[in-house]
Amino acid sequence: MTDLIIKLAMLIVFFGVMVGIGLYCRRHATDVNGFVLGGRSVGPWLTAFAYGTSYFSAVVFVGYAGQFGWKYGIAATWAGLGNAFLGSLLAWAVLGRRTRVMTQHLDSATMPEFFGKRFGSKALKLCASVIIFIFLIPYTASLYNGLSRLFAMAFDIDYSVCVIVMAVLTGIYVIAGGYMATAINDFIQGIIMIFGISAVILAVLKGQGGFLQALQNLAQVSDETVSSAPGVFASFFGPDPVGLLGVVLLTSLGTWGLPQMVQKFYAIKSESAINKGMIISTIFAVIVAGGCYFLGGFGRLFSDKIDIAAGGYDSVIPTMLSGLPTLLIAVVVILVLSASMSTLSSLVLASSSTLTLDFIKDNMIKNMDEKRQVRWMRSLVVVFIVISVVLALIQYKSSVTFIAQLMGVSWGALAGAFLAPFLYGLYWKRTTKAACAVSFLFSTVVMLANIFARASFPALLQSPINCGAFCMIAGLVIVPVVSLITKAPASERVEKVFSCYNRQVTVSVKDSIGEQTN
């Protein structure tokens, strides 16, 4: 009874802080700029943590860490390091400044709005908003999947109640405080994630006799169905380096094209903040993502307690944690809640703002003023959360695997469709709207086909992860090729768009009588 009281008390405090921050931030969410972007005045720490916590959800901690740790052993850590250096450091370095400058210059608050204004195409804006609407919903629903087993392990509470409570409380602080409430809560949730994952790794390794002993034990594990090489699960690249590379590419480069991730750059305060945020975000990713996959790499040490055929990969991490002390289990539950709520808030905010600003405004409803737009976005936050809860409960109660499977497809479709057009749109003046359209179409068709006709794909691409990575790489080729064979955009318009990178500033000098040189 005492254990349950401790866990519930920590949850109540956690939820109380989240909702309190949402109510406190109401004054920042009175107009569209404030509700969607926090007034473009968010500092480096909040932006970096918002980026990181939106990146790593319960899907990563419970699903991906368990699945890839089981498949690749300790080599799964490469996925976490790829997330840190490709998905965070390089993404900030390549996209951060140019995204912030050009989106402010074009006065765009969402990714579809960026495409519409950058390429002068209303059709591109509408297509992008439809793709986001279709693929973010199942992604949102999948966030709840990782919670079911952890709550079953820690509480005697029905999973449906847990999902509904989490969704309602997330909705309250997003609706009340918008992006600023989300950013502040992400910062708090990020700190919980850092300390939580560090404590869990230390506790699990201690239970195995320490790091070296655990690594030695892992080297003695064998699975003839995977590889006949001895000690393969403790090796540098694991049993399947090609499959591992696909995981690294999709989960790392994928962030470059995900609207809820890229939108973080829209809101950052200044260029100096971008440089600081890049370092903070990378360190956060090394600890959290690297820690999650590193922990999952030792999953096979618990194979006597895990039945993959019966429980699936989602049972790996909960089984590893089931023997921890009560206080640490409570920390783990709050860690996973933090990861899920931060990503959920980011997704529903991206979905509601995109549908309102890019689809409903000026298409379905003419002359929407600021207050009406904010009201619509708040209403759609509720709609998206309700849909995601219903899908999550259907998946849980009926054992339908389609929704969980669609999460991987969603990530691949979104990143495959948007990564190349967005990247080239920021850097290359010759990029055409036709190339963007082809990229949109190619990735969505391929990823949908991967759901319904997977058996007809080559063996390597039957995995949604590998297929998504293929779409992203293909987009990087498709966009320049199509751009070169289609009509170039009007030079006058392109120069006007790119003028934001060449802004000249006139300054006065104090010493105007210096040494003159001929």
Side-chain angles (χ1 to χ4, degrees):
M1 186 64 182
T2 304
D3 293 349
L4 183 60
I5 292 173
I6 292 172
K7 295 171 187 173
L8 288 176
M10 292 180 69
L11 280 178
I12 290 170
V13 171
F14 172 75
F15 285 136
V17 171
M18 299 299 105
V19 173
I21 289 171
L23 297 175
Y24 170 76
C25 291
R26 284 179 298 176
R27 58 193 175 90
H28 293 284
T30 56
D31 58 16
V32 171
N33 191 41
F35 188 81
V36 179
L37 300 176
R40 295 189 191 262
S41 60
V42 184
W45 284 89
L46 292 184
T47 303
F49 273 68
Y51 185 92
T53 54
S54 297
Y55 196 166
F56 310 117
S57 66
V59 175
V60 172
F61 183 74
V62 177
Y64 280 9
Q67 177 180 349
F68 301 131
W70 187 271
K71 284 185 174 182
Y72 306 118
I74 199 70
T77 308
W78 282 109
L81 295 177
N83 294 172
F85 295 105
L86 295 179
S88 294
L89 180 67
L90 197 60
W92 279 73
V94 174
L95 300 179
R97 177 184 179 271
R98 294 185 81 91
T99 299
R100 176 65 175 84
V101 173
M102 186 177 282
T103 55
Q104 183 174 13
H105 177 63
L106 297 177
D107 192 26
S108 60
T110 66
M111 184 176 274
E113 192 174 19
F114 168 81
F115 286 128
K117 292 184 176 180
R118 164 65 180 85
F119 298 102
S121 172
K122 186 177 180 180
L124 278 183
K125 184 175 82 167
L126 291 175
C127 288
S129 64
V130 170
I131 293 170
I132 290 171
F133 174 75
I134 291 173
F135 288 103
L136 274 191
I137 289 294
Y139 184 10
T140 304
S142 70
L143 295 176
Y144 304 102
N145 293 338
L147 296 172
S148 58
R149 295 183 183 276
L150 283 174
F151 271 92
M153 176 187 74
F155 299 97
D156 187 20
I157 301 175
D158 184 70
Y159 171 65
S160 303
V161 175
C162 300
V163 168
I164 292 170
V165 169
M166 170 186 154
V168 168
L169 294 173
T170 304
I172 289 173
Y173 77 72
V174 174
I175 291 167
Y179 183 83
M180 186 60 76
T182 300
I184 295 174
N185 276 330
D186 285 350
F187 180 73
I188 296 171
Q189 291 160 351
I191 292 173
I192 294 171
M193 291 167 69
I194 288 173
F195 284 101
I197 192 64
S198 301
V200 168
I201 290 171
L202 291 174
V204 170
L205 291 181
K206 183 179 179 182
Q208 294 294 318
F211 170 63
L212 293 178
Q213 184 61 49
L215 198 62
Q216 185 175 340
N217 295 342
L218 190 64
Q220 297 171 6
V221 175
S222 62
D223 186 342
E224 292 294 329
T225 63
V226 176
S227 174
S228 58
V232 69
F233 294 109
S235 64
F236 200 63
F237 290 117
D240 182 13
V242 175
L244 180 58
L245 179 62
V247 173
V248 172
L249 288 177
L250 180 66
T251 62
S252 301
L253 284 180
T255 60
W256 294 41
L258 294 179
Q260 75 275 15
M261 302 297 297
V262 173
Q263 202 163 328
K264 300 295 184 290
F265 299 133
Y266 291 33
I268 198 163
K269 190 175 183 178
S270 62
E271 290 191 39
S272 61
I274 291 172
N275 295 328
K276 293 176 184 176
M278 177 172 61
I279 303 301
I280 297 165
S281 178
T282 304
I283 294 172
F284 179 88
V286 167
I287 297 171
V288 174
C292 285
Y293 288 107
F294 175 76
L295 176 66
F298 292 98
R300 285 183 178 263
L301 296 181
F302 299 80
S303 57
D304 57 326
K305 303 176 184 177
I306 300 171
D307 185 357
I308 293 295
Y313 294 112
D314 287 353
S315 64
V316 174
I317 296 296
T319 302
M320 295 175 70
L321 305 179
S322 58
L324 298 179
T326 300
L327 184 61
L328 200 51
I329 288 179
V331 171
V332 169
V333 170
I334 293 176
L335 157 66
V336 176
L337 270 174
S338 297
S340 298
M341 290 177 71
S342 58
T343 306
L344 176 63
S345 63
S346 179
L347 290 174
V348 297
L349 190 59
S351 300
S352 65
S353 60
T354 292
L355 196 59
T356 301
L357 300 177
D358 304 320
F359 198 85
I360 296 175
K361 179 188 173 187
D362 296 333
N363 295 302
M364 298 175 64
I365 300 177
K366 303 293 183 181
N367 302 320
M368 287 181 74
D369 59 28
E370 290 269 327
K371 290 185 178 180
R372 195 175 185 189
Q373 291 173 46
V374 173
R375 283 199 302 270
W376 266 94
M377 283 187 279
R378 285 182 164 135
S379 300
L380 287 172
V381 166
V382 176
V383 171
F384 285 125
I385 286 180
V386 169
I387 293 173
S388 68
V389 168
V390 170
L391 289 176
L393 294 180
I394 289 173
Q395 192 274 331
Y396 177 72
K397 292 184 180 294
S398 63
S399 299
V400 175
T401 58
F402 179 76
I403 298 168
Q405 178 193 60
L406 200 56
M407 182 269 163
V409 177
S410 298
W411 187 299
L414 289 166
F418 297 145
L419 188 158
F422 188 77
L423 178 62
Y424 285 113
L426 290 176
Y427 278 90
W428 191 32
K429 296 178 181 180
R430 185 65 174 75
T431 311
T432 65
K433 60 183 178 183
C436 294
V438 173
S439 180
F440 290 0
L441 183 65
F442 176 83
S443 289
T444 51
V445 169
V446 169
M447 295 309 296
L448 287 173
N450 189 262
I451 300 174
F452 301 110
R454 182 165 298 163
S456 62
F457 277 66
L460 184 63
L461 297 182
Q462 288 183 9
S463 161
I465 291 173
N466 290 342
C467 192
F470 165 74
C471 286
M472 287 188 295
I473 295 171
L476 293 172
V477 177
I478 288 171
V479 171
V481 170
V482 175
S483 292
L484 290 173
I485 62 176
T486 52
K487 183 180 178 181
S491 58
E492 183 180 344
R493 190 182 177 285
V494 171
E495 291 301 328
K496 186 176 180 181
V497 169
F498 276 79
S499 65
C500 58
Y501 298 137
N502 303 312
R503 187 162 59 100
Q504 294 184 352
V505 179
T506 302
V507 296
S508 58
V509 293
K510 293 181 179 178
D511 183 8
S512 59
I513 313 178
E515 292 185 5
Q516 299 295 319
T517 57
N518 295 323

